[in-house]
Amino acid sequence: MTKKMHDTPMLDQLESGPWPSFVTGLKRLAKDKDMMVDLLGQLEYSYKTRLGYWKGGTASVIGYGGGVIPRFSEVADRFPESKEFHTLRIMPPPGMHYNTDILRKFCDIWEKHGSGLIALHGQSGDIMFQGCTTEKVQEAFDEINELGFDMGGAGPSVRTSMSCVGHARCEHSCYDEGRAHRSVLNNFTDDLHRPALPYKFKFKYSGCANDCMNSIQRSDMAIIGTWRDDIQVKQDEVKKFVKAKGRKYVIDNVVTRCPTQCLSLNDDDTLAIDNRNCVKCMHCINVMTKALSPGKDRGATILVGGKRTLKIGDLMGTVIVPFMKLESDEDFEKLVELGRNIIDFWAENGLEHERCGEMIERIGLANFLEGIGLDIDPAMLANPRTNPFIRMDDWDDEAAKWKARKTG
Amino acid sequence: MTQPRMPIESGVPDHFQYMHPVMRKNYGQWDWHERPRPGVLHHVAKSGDSVWTVRAGTQRQMDVYTIRKLCDIADQYAEGHVRFTIRSNIEFMVSDEKKVAPLIEALEKNGFPIGGTGNSVSMISHTQGWLHCDIPASDASGAVKSLMDELHHEFTHEEMPNRVRITTSCCQINCGGQGDIAINIQHTKPPKINHDLVANVCERPSVVARCPVAAIRPAMVNGKPSLEVDEKKCICCGACFPPCPPMQINDPEHSKFAIWVGGKNSNARSKPTFHKLVAAGIPNNPPRWPEVGAVVKKILRVYKEDARDWERIGEWVERIGWPRFFELTELPFTKYHVDSWRGARHSLNASAHIRF
C-alpha cells in the first residue's frame, strides 16, 4: 500500500460488537489496495454527509449487453483511487453450492483484477464481485468465465435466478429445482445477456409452499412445488410425536393451525386427514417432519406477476397453472415453453418499464391467459368478481367451453 | 489486431460438481430432518445416510481473506463443501456427527455466530446502500451490522414463537424484499431538481413515464428544457431519481426510516402477506442507527412475549388485532397508517369485528 488511510471515525464504530464486521474486511483489503483506501474514504464521507456518491454509466464485456453494474464516483476529486468501482454479477449454481476450491479461485481472480470484495449473494442471487476498474472488467470476467461461470442479468432482461436447497437436502422438495432452474435459464441466455425486454423478468424456484426463495412476492414467474394426492403419514411416528409433545401441543399447534381444518387427532393418537381439502400449505409437515411428508404425485404450481412497489404498487404472483408435473424430459420442456410463451407475449404487449404483473393488471388475467393459450381455472382466483360491470354477451359459448373441457 | 475473446455462454453452472457427496448421492431422496441445537440441522435420507449442516452468519460483503478463512475452516473441520442461504448465511455440511462440535468451535473462535435456524431471528437480507448503490438514502451493511450486533442472541438461540425474517432497504424500491420486519427508507420531500443538468443527462419522456402519480411534466426552466414536479401530487417515491440523477430525492435530514411488519413469503398456515407500515419518521442516523434498533427490538420483545408457538409476526397481529399491536408496542397510530393507494378500501375494516 502506498496511500495513507483516511480517518474513518464513524466506520470504526462498526468494528466493535459480536457480528462479523464488513468494515474490518474493507480495512484488511485497504492494506494492499489503494482503491480500497479511497473506497473507505468515500464510504466514511457518505456516513458523514448522509448521501450516496455513485452514479451509473457504461461498462460491459465483449459480446454481452448487461451484467456489469457500472459505478463512477461523484467525489472522485477527493477519492480518486476508487473513482471506478464496478460490480460483476455472476450467476450462482442452483442451491448456491460451492466447494472450497472454486471459492479460492474466485478469491484469487478478484484479488488480482478487482478490489477483493465479494458479496455472497445479492438480492437476485448473483455472486457480486464488487469493485473493479473499467479497464479490468474484461480480464476479470474472462477468468471467471473460463471457470464455467457466466454473467448474470441486469437491466431490462431475464435476470439471474435462484432456487432453494431442495432436492439436494430437503425432504419437502416436490420437484428437481436445480434441473428446472437450469433448464429454463439456460434456454434464455440470449434474453439474459442482451437486454431487450420491456423490463426485468425473474424466475424463482421453491420446492414447496414454504417458498424459501420468496418466489411468489419477488419473481415474475414462481415455480412452487406441490402434490396432488394424499399427505404421506407414518402413524407410528404420529403416536411417538403425540407421546413426546402431549395432546394439547398437537391440537394447538398442528390440528387447529391447519388453514382448512382438515386435520383431526383420533382417540388412539393417530392423525386423520381430509386430503380433499388440504391446500398443501406445509404447516403440519413442518411441525412433524418425521411423521408427515408431501404426497407421491408431485409437481409444481406456477404463479406469475410478483414484484415490488414500482410502478403501480406491490403485486404477488397469481396462479396461472394450478398443477404441472415436473418429472420427464417433456415436462421440463413444457415448463421452458411456458416461460417462453409468457415472455414472448409480454415482450410484444408490455409497455416500456412495465413488469409482467403490471401488464396483467392492465389487460386483465383473462386476456393474458388467452394470449398465452391457457384455459381459465377457478383455482386462479381467491373469489369470482364482486362487481357487475362487465359485458357477458357470449356467456353461453363460454359455459359450453367449460362443459366441453369437463367432459373432454 | 487479435480477435477479441467472445464469452462462453454457459449459463447457470451445474450444481452437482460442487455439491457435498452425501447430498449428491441422496439427491431427491431425503426422508426427514431435525434440529439438534440452534444453528445445526440433521437430515436423514431414505438410504439411511445422514448429513449435518452447521449454519453460520456472515457479513455478506466479504473480503477475500474472510472467504479464505471460511474455506480453511471448511477444509480443516468440515468436508470442503459449503452453500449459502438466501440471507447470506454460510452452511457447512458434514457426514459425521463427531465433526459438528469442533466445526462450531472453529467458527465461533473466528467470530462467525452459529444460528439462524428454526424459530430464531436470521441474518437480515439487505441491499447495497452507500457502498455501491446509485440511489441509496442510507447504508445497508452498516445498519445490518448494528442491528445484528443487538440481535446476536436471537440469531444464536431459537426462542422466538416462529422464525423471524428481517429485511432492510435503502430506498422505497425495497430490493431487500418482504419481511416479518422490513426496515426501509421513506423519503418525505419531493426531489430537488438541478435544472442545468436535466436536458443533458435525462431521457425526459421516460422519466415522465416513471412517475406513479403523473406528477412530472416537461418544462422550460432558465431557458433550458427540463422537468418540473407538481409537489402537491408527488409521493416522494424516488422513481424519477435513478433515470434522472439531477432529480435528487435523497436528503440527509428528510429521508427517514420507516418500519413495516407482517410480511410473510411462506404459504404455511396463512397465505403469503405483504408487510404493513407501523412506524415512520425515524432519523437516518449512522453509524449505528440506534433509533431504528430501539423500535425493532421493542416489536420483537412484544412478539416474543405475546405470540403463540408457530405464529409469525403478521399472524400474531391478525389474531390480536392492530389496535392491540399499537398498544403493546407503544407506537403512535396516525392518518399515514391508512392506505391511500389503489385498492386501499380492501385494507379497511368492513365489519363490526372490533376487540375492546
Side-chain angles (χ1 to χ4, degrees):
Chain A
M1 186 185 88
T2 53
K3 195 159 178 144
K4 185 175 162 295
M5 292 283 273
H6 300 275
D7 285 337
T8 51
M10 291 179 100
L11 292 174
D12 294 353
Q13 293 180 51
L14 293 171
E15 290 201 87
S16 57
W19 195 259
S21 170
F22 74 106
V23 174
T24 305
L26 295 179
K27 285 187 176 179
R28 176 67 188 83
L29 293 169
K31 280 185 184 169
D32 310 315
K33 287 184 186 284
D34 289 352
M35 177 195 240
M36 295 309 280
V37 174
D38 275 1
L39 186 275
L40 275 159
Q42 178 171 326
L43 192 58
E44 178 75 13
Y45 188 63
S46 278
Y47 270 60
K48 205 163 69 185
T49 57
R50 291 188 285 172
L51 285 170
Y53 295 102
W54 298 111
K55 57 179 189 290
T58 312
S60 62
V61 297
I62 291 160
Y64 287 166
V68 181
I69 310 301
R71 288 293 175 255
F72 297 90
S73 173
E74 291 173 316
V75 284
D77 54 332
R78 291 164 182 264
F79 309 106
E81 296 298 330
S82 57
K83 67 176 190 286
E84 294 170 351
F85 202 78
H86 314 319
T87 282
L88 268 67
R89 287 181 175 174
I90 299 292
M91 283 194 276
M96 294 171 177
H97 301 270
Y98 302 97
N99 58 24
T100 53
D101 176 59
I102 194 74
L103 288 176
R104 289 181 197 279
K105 283 177 178 153
F106 286 156
C107 290
D108 294 346
I109 292 170
W110 203 236
E111 191 170 39
K112 186 164 74 174
H113 297 296
S115 70
L117 186 69
I118 306 174
L120 292 152
H121 297 75
Q123 288 300 319
S124 291
D126 290 288
I127 310 165
M128 296 194 297
F129 290 85
Q130 298 184 298
C132 190
T133 60
T134 308
E135 184 196 16
K136 290 287 187 182
V137 164
Q138 186 71 49
E139 289 170 62
F141 173 70
D142 287 349
E143 288 196 35
I144 294 166
N145 194 205
E146 291 292 334
L147 292 175
F149 283 76
D150 200 358
M151 194 70 90
S157 68
V158 168
R159 292 294 187 88
T160 299
S161 182
M162 301 167 90
S163 47
C164 63
V165 67
H167 258 38
R169 199 190 58 202
C170 183
E171 72 271 18
H172 299 163
S173 170
C174 290
Y175 69 93
D176 183 343
E177 308 81 358
R179 182 176 178 190
H181 178 160
R182 295 189 72 225
S183 303
V184 173
L185 266 284
N186 292 350
N187 266 283
F188 283 100
T189 48
D190 191 30
D191 293 294
L192 189 137
H193 292 133
R194 297 167 193 87
L197 294 171
Y199 198 15
K200 65 182 78 165
F201 193 98
K202 297 181 176 183
F203 293 92
K204 291 192 198 293
Y205 305 84
S206 287
C208 77
N210 284 317
D211 193 7
C212 289
M213 290 297 103
N214 203 348
S215 325
I216 293 175
Q217 292 168 338
R218 307 183 70 167
S219 69
D220 301 88
M221 183 162 163
I223 295 91
I224 308 285
T226 189
W227 64 95
R228 280 191 298 200
D229 55 345
D230 296 356
I231 291 180
Q232 299 183 70
V233 189
K234 292 179 184 156
Q235 294 292 7
D236 56 332
E237 289 293 345
V238 174
K239 286 181 180 176
K240 278 187 205 165
F241 189 86
V242 176
K243 197 163 184 246
K245 290 280 196 179
R247 288 179 69 81
K248 181 175 167 56
Y249 180 91
V250 176
I251 292 164
D252 287 352
N253 291 295
V254 183
V255 174
T256 57
R257 292 222 172 271
C258 171
T260 51
Q261 287 98 54
C262 64
L263 301 177
S264 178
L265 190 62
N266 296 322
D267 287 341
D268 64 354
D269 288 351
T270 57
L271 194 66
I273 305 180
D274 169 15
N275 277 287
R276 186 71 191 76
N277 279 311
C278 166
V279 288
K280 326 298 183 264
C281 87
M282 293 301 297
H283 173 73
C284 60
I285 300 173
N286 291 340
V287 183
M288 301 168 76
T289 57
K290 240 176 165 170
L292 305 177
S293 313
K296 291 177 181 163
D297 184 11
R298 299 177 181 190
T301 297
I302 316 277
L303 300 92
V304 166
K307 55 171 281 298
R308 189 49 186 146
T309 317
L310 289 178
K311 167 180 170 180
I312 65 168
D314 296 30
L315 299 175
M316 295 222 193
T318 61
V319 174
I320 62 154
V321 178
F323 186 87
M324 182 178 207
K325 274 306 244 191
L326 278 176
E327 279 168 11
S328 66
D329 293 353
E330 291 74 32
D331 294 339
F332 284 94
E333 279 163 25
K334 272 190 200 148
L335 180 68
V336 173
E337 192 188 352
L338 178 67
R340 170 61 61 201
N341 285 344
I342 290 169
I343 286 179
D344 284 352
F345 179 83
W346 168 66
E348 192 68 33
N349 296 282
L351 306 174
E352 193 203 345
H353 222 256
E354 181 178 57
R355 290 285 287 271
C356 187
E358 293 174 315
M359 176 194 70
I360 295 169
E361 181 84 2
R362 180 170 53 84
I363 68 175
L365 180 70
N367 286 327
F368 173 70
L369 291 169
E370 194 179 323
I372 59 169
L374 284 180
D375 287 326
I376 193 87
D377 188 291
M380 296 172 184
L381 310 182
N383 53 265
R385 68 166 50 243
T386 57
N387 70 71
F389 295 161
I390 177 79
R391 284 185 56 169
M392 299 192 259
D393 306 32
D394 54 358
W395 173 273
D396 290 346
D397 298 345
E398 293 299 318
K401 271 188 209 168
W402 173 257
K403 285 199 183 95
R405 268 174 62 197
K406 290 286 111 185
T407 52
Chain B
M1 172 81 186
T2 51
Q3 282 295 310
R5 176 191 178 276
M6 294 310 281
I8 304 161
E9 208 150 353
S10 48
V12 181
D14 178 4
H15 47 314
F16 290 107
Q17 59 187 321
Y18 305 116
M19 202 182 287
H20 189 284
V22 175
M23 288 156 83
R24 207 163 45 225
K25 179 187 162 204
N26 295 286
Y27 193 77
Q29 297 299 319
W30 294 94
D31 190 21
W32 62 278
H33 82 279
E34 60 185 351
R35 296 195 312 275
R37 55 151 283 178
V40 179
L41 308 169
H42 169 221
H43 286 85
V44 181
K46 291 183 176 127
S47 66
D49 291 352
S50 270
V51 74
W52 284 266
T53 301
V54 175
R55 184 181 290 177
T58 75
Q59 61 271 57
R60 183 178 185 256
Q61 319 289 135
M62 288 188 276
D63 56 290
V64 292
Y65 305 100
T66 298
I67 297 172
R68 286 177 185 140
K69 171 63 69 184
L70 289 164
C71 288
D72 291 345
I73 293 169
D75 286 337
Q76 195 179 340
Y77 296 96
E79 291 159 357
H81 295 267
V82 298
R83 66 174 296 271
F84 289 86
T85 72
I86 192 172
R87 315 189 87 72
S88 301
N89 297 315
I90 186 167
E91 294 185 336
F92 298 78
M93 279 66 63
V94 294
S95 56
D96 179 356
E97 193 178 8
K98 288 204 275 297
K99 292 183 179 175
V100 172
L103 172 58
I104 289 174
E105 196 186 344
L107 285 162
E108 285 179 337
K109 199 174 74 195
N110 284 284
F112 299 104
I114 307 298
T117 52
N119 46 324
S120 66
V121 176
S122 188
M123 163 66 167
I124 299 170
S125 69
H126 68 87
T127 51
Q128 297 281 42
W130 289 326
L131 184 73
H132 201 270
C133 184
D134 58 338
I135 54 167
S138 186
D139 197 33
S141 317
V144 167
K145 155 71 177 155
S146 299
L147 273 160
M148 290 313 293
D149 277 346
E150 303 211 32
L151 300 174
H152 189 265
H153 176 90
E154 299 300 349
F155 179 88
T156 57
H157 294 73
E158 295 178 349
E159 294 172 352
M160 287 287 167
N162 199 345
R163 66 191 52 210
V164 178
R165 299 289 183 253
I166 304 181
T167 70
T168 64
S169 296
C170 20
C171 83
Q172 285 157 253
I173 293 172
N174 187 226
C175 299
Q178 295 289 328
D180 290 292
I181 302 177
I183 302 152
N184 299 346
I185 280 277
Q186 188 87 23
H187 305 297
T188 63
K189 294 277 184 278
K192 292 190 187 109
I193 307 172
N194 182 338
H195 293 289
D196 295 340
L197 298 178
V198 171
N200 296 334
V201 176
C202 316
E203 198 185 322
R204 293 189 303 151
S206 67
V207 181
V208 169
R210 284 275 180 112
C211 181
V213 290
I216 304 173
R217 46 180 182 254
M220 291 295 284
V221 184
N222 309 331
K224 290 192 176 118
S226 185
L227 294 164
E228 63 183 9
V229 172
D230 179 343
E231 298 203 349
K232 282 201 289 295
K233 268 191 189 174
C234 175
I235 48 166
C236 312
C237 72
C240 51
F241 179 49
C244 191
M247 298 180 75
Q248 178 60 259
I249 188 75
N250 294 321
D251 183 293
E253 194 51 46
H254 298 294
S255 293
K256 305 280 194 185
F257 269 101
I259 294 182
W260 308 66
V261 308
K264 168 176 175 283
N265 52 314
S266 160
N267 294 259
R269 300 166 307 282
S270 52
K271 290 180 178 180
T273 48
F274 286 136
H275 50 233
K276 291 101 182 158
L277 179 74
V278 295
I282 301 165
N284 181 11
N285 201 357
R288 285 266 173 195
W289 292 270
E291 300 85 354
V292 172
V295 176
V296 170
K297 283 195 301 189
K298 173 84 192 189
I299 293 167
L300 284 173
R301 193 164 60 243
V302 175
Y303 164 67
K304 195 173 176 175
E305 284 165 7
D306 199 65
R308 294 175 184 166
D309 285 353
W310 295 98
E311 276 180 338
R312 295 283 291 267
I313 289 183
E315 296 173 312
W316 159 66
V317 180
E318 280 295 306
R319 179 173 59 80
I320 66 169
W322 286 101
R324 182 86 180 123
F325 172 86
F326 284 99
E327 191 184 315
L328 287 172
T329 53
E330 296 169 319
L331 293 166
F333 182 78
T334 69
K335 68 178 185 183
Y336 299 111
H337 289 96
V338 183
D339 201 341
S340 52
W341 193 245
R342 63 180 76 174
R345 282 194 72 80
H346 291 297
S347 65
L348 306 181
N349 183 6
S351 77
H353 291 201
I354 299 175
R355 300 163 181 83
F356 295 106

